[in-house]
Amino acid sequence: MEQEINFNDIKERMRPDVDNIVETNIEGKPYIQKECQALSNYISDEIIKALSKKQPGLKYICNVTIFQKGECSCHFSSTCLWNPSTDGSLTAKYENASFHVFVTIFGLAY
């Protein structure tokens, strides 16, 4: 019998890849509103590619949110109906001098 893949068991092993992708792409960059859509698309695409190579057998959803630092606040949450024995999520916050980046990844077993 084939062993089920459990996202919660492997997500910490994947975190260094996610950290590297995000940190490499935001290091030293200023906040430029017109570039944020392309940057968030690129980061999410790279994360999905890296995770799919490292751990096939899961479906991945990646959400990247970028917002400028300043006198504002941001709150977000997500809710899923899934199989808690195989599916899970990872959320991480990154920042540089001019903006914040939030990454949420969902790993869902086939």
Side-chain angles (χ1 to χ4, degrees), residues 13-71:
R13 190 168 40 104
M14 297 178 160
R15 191 176 199 106
D17 294 325
V18 175
D19 292 346
N20 183 52
I21 290 165
V22 177
E23 291 168 357
T24 299
N25 284 285
I26 69 168
E27 185 177 348
K29 289 195 175 176
Y31 179 86
I32 301 172
Q33 182 182 2
K34 292 179 182 180
E35 295 178 6
C36 286
Q37 181 67 49
L39 180 59
S40 63
N41 288 345
Y42 182 79
I43 289 171
S44 62
D45 288 346
E46 291 300 304
I47 289 171
I48 294 292
K49 287 178 198 173
L51 298 184
S52 295
K53 285 181 189 174
K54 192 165 200 170
Q55 183 58 67
L58 291 170
K59 293 181 267 185
Y60 296 101
I61 301 163
C62 181
N63 180 40
V64 175
T65 304
I66 298 173
F67 65 97
Q68 186 175 17
K69 285 186 172 180
E71 296 297 320

